[in-house]
């Protein structure tokens, strides 16, 4: 494997976008939003990603084959914020790491934890060739240390390859403290909602395997109609296989996809077939991510179908997940590593991917 690395500094980013790396038909260019936040545009022949290297290594924007993958939102550009709700317009962010999900009234953590908007201590670009061929990556590191508390090092990474519309989001976490560390991690991917899209998953749309969240978090103002819909979905969630009733998703709908089937290598996948052809797709190792969450929201300000959020826990906040046994523990010196492959598929690739998911379901009695 051959690797070349470039360390980035905030002063490298100006108002004018400038290319800094060209490799194997891919480019990386640097610019700064008017809000002051640094950004890297990774481009290949099929599209681009915009990554925020010093701001939690969010992926702000994703476009491939002319298809915008990112949720509709209120934010024309990323805004400086301590919590994700202050700049909720990105394509993907790292949710966690010590705490995660929607805090209950008794929780003390922010929505989705401390990592989404975290200031990164290091950021860089890397080119190389590995077993899968050439790649261009954004790298980063955050050293989190709290007096009388946790100390960890987080290393997120985004990898793009030539001619491909799928890419990789990865995260490594090392517990540097002398005590065990709580770990709650979710790869939070906010795909665009498309009316009449169809969800394909390696689990049936039954109440035991596609479980509707009936607990209502504090940021949702329920109506009686909404409560009635939750009750109906708890009995029969199959009406959510096709996204043909946008009004049903205001307020939000959340589902837990329980025990999705995997292939012989332990990988599982889900997808959203788009009405005009093609698909959004996400794949991961089911052993690394024992939980999978679906979040759909459609209103005048935000339209999102996060159809598969791979996670180590469910999103009900620290205390609830701790009580359910969903908070992982890292021993002193222990490392956890996660990777998700995701993006857009054109129609031929989408058809092949759907058949692969169906083969899991039909082949193993889902």
């Amino acid at each position: 494997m051959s690797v070349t690395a470039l360390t980035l500094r905030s002063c490298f980013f100006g108002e004018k976008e400038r290319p800094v790396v060209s490799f194997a038909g891919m480019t990386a260019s640097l610019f700064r939003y008017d809000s002051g936040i640094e950004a890297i545009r990774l481009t290949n022949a099929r599209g681009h990603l915009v990554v925020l290297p010093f701001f939690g290594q969010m992926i702000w924007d994703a476009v491939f084959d002319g298809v915008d993958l990112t949720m509709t939102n209120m934010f024309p550009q990323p805004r400086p914020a301590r919590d994700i709700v202050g700049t909720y317009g990105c394509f993907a962010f790292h949710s966690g790491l010590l705490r995660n999900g929607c805090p209950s009234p008794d929780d003390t953590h922010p929505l989705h934890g401390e990592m989404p908007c975290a200031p990164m201590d290091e950021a860089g670009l890397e080119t190389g060739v590995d077993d899968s061929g050439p790649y261009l990556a954004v790298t980063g590191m955050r050293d989190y240390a709290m007096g009388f508390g946790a100390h960890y090092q987080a290393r997120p990474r985004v990898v793009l390859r030539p001619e491909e519309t799928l890419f990789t989001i990865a995260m490594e976490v090392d517990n540097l403290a002398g005590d065990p560390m709580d770990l709650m991690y979710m790869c939070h991917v906010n795909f665009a909602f498309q009316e009449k899209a169809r969800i394909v998953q390696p689990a049936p749309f039954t109440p035991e395997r596609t479980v509707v969240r009936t607990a209502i978090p504090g940021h949702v103002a329920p109506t009686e109609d909404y409560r009635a819909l939750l009750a109906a979905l708890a009995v029969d969630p199959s009406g959510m296989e096709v996204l043909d009733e946008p009004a049903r998703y205001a307020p939000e709908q959340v589902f837990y996809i329980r025990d999705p089937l995997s292939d012989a290598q332990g990988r599982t996948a889900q997808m959203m077939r788009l009405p005009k052809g093609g698909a959004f797709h996400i794949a991961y190792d089911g052993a690394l991510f024992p939980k999978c969450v679906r979040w759909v929201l459609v209103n005048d300000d935000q339209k999102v179908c996060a159809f598969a959020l791979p996670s180590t826990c469910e999103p009900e906040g620290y205390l609830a997940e701790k009580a359910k046994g969903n908070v992982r523990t890292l021993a002193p010196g222990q490392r956890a590593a996660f990777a998700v492959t995701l993006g857009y598929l054109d129609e031929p690739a989408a058809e092949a991917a759907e058949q692969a998911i169906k083969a899991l379901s039909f082949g193993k009695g889902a």
Side-chain angles (χ1 to χ4, degrees), residues 57-137:
Q57 205 181 100
M58 288 185 193
I59 300 178
W60 186 256
D61 189 30
V63 178
F64 288 96
D65 288 356
V67 179
D68 190 345
L69 280 62
T70 307
M71 65 178 288
T72 301
N73 62 84
M74 300 178 287
F75 297 90
Q77 60 180 321
R79 293 182 179 179
R82 295 182 62 184
D83 302 337
I84 187 63
V85 290
T87 184
Y88 213 117
C90 67
F91 171 72
F93 64 89
H94 295 285
S95 181
L97 295 165
L98 296 171
R99 303 289 185 265
N100 209 335
C102 303
S104 71
D106 296 322
D107 279 310
T108 59
H109 61 86
L111 179 71
H112 294 313
E114 79 283 357
M115 189 65 203
C117 302
M120 303 300 293
D121 295 299
E122 296 178 4
L125 288 166
E126 183 180 293
T127 63
V129 179
D130 59 17
D131 292 342
S132 298
Y135 68 87
L136 175 58

Side-chain angles (χ1 to χ4, degrees), residues 194 196-200 271-280 346-355:
Q194 291 204 16
K196 299 187 185 306
R198 177 170 54 86
I199 303 296
V200 182
M271 64 191 305
M272 190 169 111
R273 293 299 301 265
L274 307 181
K276 294 183 179 180
F280 299 150
D346 61 19
E347 182 58 25
E351 180 61 28
E354 177 169 356
Q355 295 310 311

Side-chain angles (χ1 to χ4, degrees), residues 216-236:
I216 300 174
H219 66 274
V220 172
T223 64
E224 289 306 312
D225 287 344
Y226 180 70
R227 293 181 186 276
L229 176 59
L230 291 183
L233 290 174
V235 176
D236 181 12

Side-chain angles (χ1 to χ4, degrees), residues 9-360:
R9 298 284 183 261
S10 179
C11 61
F12 296 176
F13 296 76
E15 293 183 1
K16 182 177 180 181
E17 185 169 341
R18 298 180 184 276
V20 294
V21 172
S22 180
F23 178 70
M26 302 175 289
T27 61
S29 55
L30 310 184
F31 67 98
R32 186 184 300 271
Y33 284 100
D34 291 342
S35 62
I37 292 178
E38 303 91 342
I40 302 172
R41 190 184 308 274
L42 299 181
T43 304
N44 68 10
R46 303 285 296 274
H48 74 265
L49 302 170
V50 174
V51 183
L52 310 183
F54 293 105
F55 194 53
Q57 205 181 100
M58 288 185 193
I59 300 178
W60 186 256
D61 189 30
V63 178
F64 288 96
D65 288 356
V67 179
D68 190 345
L69 280 62
T70 307
M71 65 178 288
T72 301
N73 62 84
M74 300 178 287
F75 297 90
Q77 60 180 321
R79 293 182 179 179
R82 295 182 62 184
D83 302 337
I84 187 63
V85 290
T87 184
Y88 213 117
C90 67
F91 171 72
F93 64 89
H94 295 285
S95 181
L97 295 165
L98 296 171
R99 303 289 185 265
N100 209 335
C102 303
S104 71
D106 296 322
D107 279 310
T108 59
H109 61 86
L111 179 71
H112 294 313
E114 79 283 357
M115 189 65 203
C117 302
M120 303 300 293
D121 295 299
E122 296 178 4
L125 288 166
E126 183 180 293
T127 63
V129 179
D130 59 17
D131 292 342
S132 298
Y135 68 87
L136 175 58
V138 178
T139 62
M141 187 276 287
R142 186 196 187 197
D143 189 274
Y144 177 96
M146 187 65 64
F148 312 105
H151 183 196
Y152 66 76
Q153 189 176 101
R155 291 180 302 279
R157 181 179 177 92
V158 177
V159 180
L160 182 68
R161 297 185 185 273
E163 303 287 342
E164 293 191 12
T165 57
L166 299 177
F167 52 95
T168 299
I169 299 174
M171 170 65 79
E172 287 186 348
V173 186
D174 286 318
N175 180 11
L176 303 182
D179 294 321
M181 167 188 160
D182 289 329
L183 178 63
M184 304 173 72
Y185 177 65
M186 172 186 284
C187 186
H188 204 300
V189 186
N190 300 319
F191 280 102
F193 178 91
Q194 291 204 16
E195 188 173 356
K196 299 187 185 306
R198 177 170 54 86
I199 303 296
V200 182
Q201 61 183 40
F205 283 85
T206 61
E208 297 79 22
R209 301 284 292 280
T210 302
V211 181
V212 64
R213 182 182 71 183
T214 54
I216 300 174
H219 66 274
V220 172
T223 64
E224 289 306 312
D225 287 344
Y226 180 70
R227 293 181 186 276
L229 176 59
L230 291 183
L233 290 174
V235 176
D236 181 12
S238 64
M240 295 304 176
E241 181 175 0
V242 178
L243 306 177
D244 56 0
E245 297 182 74
R248 283 188 161 193
Y249 304 106
E252 67 187 20
Q253 296 288 349
V254 173
F255 300 87
Y256 304 134
I257 313 305
R258 297 274 167 81
D259 302 319
L261 297 174
S262 301
D263 64 17
Q265 290 72 46
R267 291 186 63 79
T268 189
Q270 298 188 43
M271 64 191 305
M272 190 169 111
R273 293 299 301 265
L274 307 181
K276 294 183 179 180
F280 299 150
H281 190 271
I282 190 164
Y284 56 92
D285 187 326
L288 297 177
F289 295 102
K291 306 296 180 183
C292 183
V293 182
R294 178 168 301 144
W295 171 56
V296 189
L297 171 65
V298 180
N299 60 30
D300 292 339
D301 299 316
Q302 301 169 102
K303 296 177 176 62
V304 57
C305 183
F307 62 91
L309 300 176
S311 183
T312 66
C313 58
E314 293 175 346
E316 304 310 321
Y318 175 73
L319 294 175
E321 296 306 307
K322 186 75 170 177
K324 291 188 285 185
N326 289 342
V327 176
R328 183 173 169 182
T329 299
L330 281 188
Q334 188 179 3
R335 171 177 297 175
F338 306 94
V340 174
T341 302
L342 69 161
Y344 172 76
L345 296 175
D346 61 19
E347 182 58 25
E351 180 61 28
E354 177 169 356
Q355 295 310 311
I357 294 173
K358 287 182 175 179
L360 295 178

